[in-house]
Amino acid sequence: MEPPAVYKRWRGSPPPTFSSLRLPSSRLSRRQHLLAVLHVVPVALLDVDSNNNKNNYYHPPHSTIMPGGGVAVTASGMEGGKKSSIVGILMASFAAFGGILFGYDTGVISGIKEMNFWLKTFGYESPAGSGTYTISTANESLIVSILSLGTFFGALFAAPMADTLGRRMGIVAANLVFCAGVAMQTAATAVPLFVAGRVFAGLGVGMVSCLVPMYQAEASPKWIRGAVVSCYQWAITIGLLLAACVNQGTKDRNDYGSYRIPIAIQFAWAGILSAGMLYLPESPRYLVKRHRDADAARALGRLMSVPPDHQDVQMELEDVKANLRMEEEVGQSSYVDCFKMGPNKILFRTLTGIFLQAWQQLTGINFIFYYGTTFFKNSGISNPFLITIATNVVNVCMTIPAFWAVDHVGRRRLLLIGAAGMLVCEYLVAIIGVTISVSNQAGQKVLVAFVCIYIAFFASTWGPIAWVVTSEIYPLAIRAKAMSMSTASNWLWNFGIGYATPYIVNPEYGNLGPKVFFVWGSTCVGCLVFTYFCIPETKGLSLEQIDILYQNTTPVKSVAYRDQLIAHNVHAADEDAIARVTTEVRMAEKGEKGEAHNEEKV
């Protein structure tokens, strides 16, 4: 079989031998071993060349001839590629700091609204002369949920910002809007200004929550992209934990510092993120989309720690440009194009992201982080602030396993496992909550334990992976707009749940209490069904290979097709290889069906 032209070269002497072939065996399948060995077999075995012509030897792209004639394979996903990508990984991971803004701002309100001085400032005495202060259910719903309404519009604004200012400077601009909202909340002594501050902070958080995963997905290597984007969710959990700890430290203060200190600390998070982003390179894929190819090569070279003219850089840029050309032939990049049907399955992909983020909110996780302090207090827990810190510690620690699992177990399988685990825990929490009294200490401890297990399932699966999937399933031409809509979906449901929950659980209204977990358990059944039919397996694929996968298979059959894309190292620019892999997979599927049919006959 004639090797590709790019393989027919030789850069060393003497020729390689099988004994000197160096391969990272722990990371290669049997098929990949065979392909790697075949790539260094001399063509002279088939056509003897007495002069031992160097051009008759070929080897995989990105390989290096070692002293003594050995070949060190450094293709993407192997040892050499990983070492050269460490700077890019660190750069893309730093952007995850934006998650702290998201998590801290989400978590800080849970404790602030239970602080006595805050209630005295923004609420009213009830009953009169008792010295106990409260806030109306209407104001509580408005203050908690209005942030999410701001983030909804912020996520939509992120699309034009990402396509004009760029991913990197878009994040910096979003931080400025966020800081304006923090300033308003810090200065507020009445509900109107506090609510206005929450809206502006929400606009900033909404833009950051769309731009950060987008930047990470476009800038990180494919073999660790899932872990890098998962860092964003981990930063969210760290922000939630920091908020709980700061609230615990200031809750007993009888002055404005009780709530102003936790709010004003957010200036520091925004400042660190903005300063860091100014030193990071722009997304190479954004630069290609703007037809700034030289800048894209420099940015990608910086992320890979190689010169802009390096073959790895040029090969990846060719894939990105080939994919973009194909997308531009199909259509432009308007919002209408996000809902077009066709071979690229754009409509299906857009709706997948929108509904995935909606289902993430419908797991009920933000019920715990918005109203956890109130819920545990009403359930008879003596120190609800400490329990809130405990649940946040679980959230932080259990997100860490997702870094490994997302690129080893896979996106699809983890979402299925997470949905199944959460629905069991939530039904148990609901059953325990309605069958024991608030004075039953043993029962309350069991309830808290199952809440923590439920959070652990969320933190290691649906928490980070929803962001991973929505950051990688869209084509470059519409990525900013489609991601903005999926992120807006997250915040819209966040707003709806945050606004409705007090009316659902408070005694003077719905009074569901722990019974609300029957609702969350039932929605997790929907998460399970949705994942099975709509989420493909994309671990280890480049963003361009994910386009190929969507065009040629379905989510249910995606695992087999994804394996073949990786085994054959298919590139977007190689149409013959795509056709060959697609044919092989379909023939294999027909063969399995034929065998099953024959067994039934026997």
Side-chain angles (χ1 to χ4, degrees):
M1 180 181 69
E2 182 69 8
V6 69
Y7 293 166
K8 298 180 66 177
R9 60 182 183 269
W10 174 247
R11 295 175 296 178
S13 181
T17 63
F18 288 108
S19 61
S20 64
L21 180 64
R22 300 171 188 176
L23 293 170
S25 58
S26 63
R27 298 186 182 274
L28 294 179
S29 67
R30 184 181 302 171
R31 179 184 181 87
Q32 287 170 314
H33 267 299
L34 178 59
L35 290 173
V37 171
L38 289 175
H39 282 152
V40 296
V41 172
V43 176
L45 289 176
L46 301 177
D47 183 11
V48 178
D49 183 346
S50 59
N51 294 323
N52 192 24
N53 192 329
K54 294 176 183 179
N55 291 326
N56 279 344
Y57 293 89
Y58 58 101
H59 49 274
H62 325 304
S63 61
T64 304
I65 307 303
M66 305 296 289
V71 178
V73 179
T74 59
S76 179
M78 301 182 189
E79 294 298 334
K82 292 181 181 179
K83 290 176 183 175
S84 68
S85 300
I86 188 65
V87 174
I89 294 167
L90 293 174
M91 287 180 178
S93 297
F94 174 81
F97 200 88
I100 290 183
L101 273 68
F102 180 165
Y104 189 94
D105 204 48
T106 299
V108 77
I109 196 63
S110 175
I112 283 177
K113 69 184 184 63
E114 296 298 324
M115 293 179 183
N116 192 58
F117 192 85
W118 186 88
L119 290 170
K120 182 179 180 180
T121 304
F122 295 94
Y124 58 91
E125 195 174 19
S126 177
S130 65
T132 302
Y133 295 86
T134 189
I135 191 169
S136 67
T137 297
N139 277 345
E140 181 184 20
S141 290
L142 180 64
I143 288 169
V144 171
S145 62
I146 199 66
L147 174 87
S148 301
L149 190 61
T151 52
F152 170 78
F153 289 105
L156 294 178
F157 293 155
M161 186 174 289
D163 284 337
T164 52
L165 294 179
R167 283 50 162 157
R168 183 175 67 99
M169 293 308 297
I171 293 172
V172 175
N175 275 284
L176 296 177
V177 177
F178 175 76
C179 286
V182 171
M184 292 181 192
Q185 291 177 76
T186 304
T189 55
V191 170
L193 183 58
F194 196 86
V195 168
R198 295 277 290 169
V199 171
F200 275 88
L203 287 170
V205 170
M207 287 186 277
V208 166
S209 65
C210 177
L211 293 167
V212 165
M214 188 190 310
Y215 178 84
Q216 290 179 302
E218 293 185 349
S220 55
K222 66 181 179 181
W223 56 271
I224 200 171
R225 184 178 61 246
V228 170
V229 180
S230 294
C231 287
Y232 176 65
Q233 175 65 23
W234 191 43
I236 293 174
T237 66
I238 292 172
L240 287 163
L241 176 60
L242 288 172
C245 292
V246 174
N247 284 341
Q248 173 69 15
T250 65
K251 66 183 177 66
D252 295 324
R253 292 177 63 115
N254 195 32
D255 55 25
Y256 289 108
S258 61
Y259 69 88
R260 283 179 171 170
I261 291 173
I263 293 172
I265 284 176
Q266 294 174 102
F267 285 119
W269 314 141
I272 293 170
L273 178 61
S274 296
M277 292 306 299
L278 291 174
Y279 289 97
L280 297 186
E282 181 55 88
S283 159
R285 287 173 170 84
Y286 162 75
L287 294 170
V288 169
K289 184 181 178 184
R290 303 291 291 184
H291 304 291
R292 294 163 56 185
D293 293 354
D295 290 337
R298 281 191 290 272
L300 189 56
R302 190 176 165 195
L303 290 167
M304 289 183 168
S305 298
V306 294
D309 59 352
H310 193 275
Q311 62 177 4
D312 289 4
V313 172
Q314 296 304 316
M315 185 177 292
E316 185 158 339
L317 287 180
E318 282 304 314
D319 273 353
V320 175
K321 287 189 280 188
N323 227 51
L324 182 62
R325 281 195 298 269
M326 184 185 68
E327 292 166 18
E328 289 175 340
E329 287 172 4
V330 174
Q332 298 300 312
S333 57
S334 66
Y335 276 103
V336 174
D337 289 305
C338 295
F339 297 95
K340 282 186 175 179
M341 299 178 69
N344 259 9
K345 300 180 183 175
I346 301 299
L347 174 62
F348 175 69
R349 293 158 78 171
T350 300
L351 294 178
T352 295
I354 289 171
F355 281 103
L356 179 62
Q357 291 284 18
W359 284 117
Q360 190 210 49
Q361 288 300 305
L362 287 168
T363 60
I365 192 66
N366 277 328
F367 170 77
I368 295 297
F369 295 120
Y370 280 152
Y371 296 101
T373 307
T374 306
F375 172 73
F376 291 127
K377 182 178 178 181
N378 293 340
S379 297
I381 304 297
S382 57
N383 194 334
F385 278 89
L386 287 179
I387 298 298
T388 300
I389 292 176
T391 57
N392 279 289
V393 168
V394 172
N395 198 23
V396 171
C397 293
M398 290 309 298
T399 303
I400 296 173
F403 296 166
W404 174 86
V406 67
D407 288 312
H408 290 79
V409 179
R411 284 75 153 147
R412 176 181 169 85
R413 187 179 300 173
L414 281 178
L415 289 174
L416 291 170
I417 292 170
M422 286 189 293
L423 73 88
V424 171
C425 290
E426 289 179 309
Y427 280 136
L428 287 173
V429 169
I431 292 167
I432 293 168
V434 299
T435 55
I436 64 170
S437 66
V438 293
S439 60
N440 186 330
Q441 292 300 308
Q444 295 302 325
K445 290 177 181 178
V446 172
L447 184 146
V448 171
F450 274 110
V451 168
C452 288
I453 296 171
Y454 150 65
I455 292 171
F457 272 110
F458 176 86
S460 56
T461 59
W462 277 78
I465 295 172
W467 296 104
V468 173
V469 172
T470 55
S471 71
E472 64 187 15
I473 62 173
Y474 302 120
L476 178 59
I478 63 158
R479 185 170 295 135
K481 293 178 176 62
M483 270 200 73
S484 74
M485 287 189 286
S486 68
T487 307
S489 169
N490 181 294
W491 287 113
L492 181 64
W493 284 96
N494 194 311
F495 167 75
I497 291 168
Y499 189 85
T501 296
Y503 292 101
I504 293 171
V505 301
N506 283 0
E508 64 268 29
Y509 290 95
N511 196 27
L512 282 184
K515 291 192 288 290
V516 73
F517 280 92
F518 282 120
V519 176
W520 306 138
S522 300
T523 56
C524 282
V525 176
C527 294
L528 199 64
V529 175
F530 172 80
T531 299
Y532 182 79
F533 289 105
C534 298
I535 304 297
E537 185 50 72
T538 57
K539 70 170 182 174
L541 298 179
S542 69
L543 298 179
E544 289 68 42
Q545 286 174 321
I546 291 173
D547 282 336
I548 298 169
L549 181 142
Y550 265 105
Q551 291 168 28
N552 296 288
T553 190
T554 63
V556 176
K557 299 176 181 178
S558 61
V559 175
Y561 195 87
R562 170 253 171 208
D563 291 344
Q564 290 300 310
L565 286 176
I566 291 177
H568 292 276
N569 194 24
V570 175
H571 292 271
D574 192 345
E575 295 180 2
D576 291 338
I578 295 170
R580 187 165 57 251
V581 165
T582 303
T583 302
E584 285 182 14
V585 172
R586 288 175 181 170
M587 287 177 66
E589 290 172 358
K590 289 178 181 178
E592 289 174 4
K593 290 178 182 177
E595 289 175 11
H597 183 67
N598 291 335
E599 287 176 6
E600 287 177 7
K601 284 184 176 181
V602 173

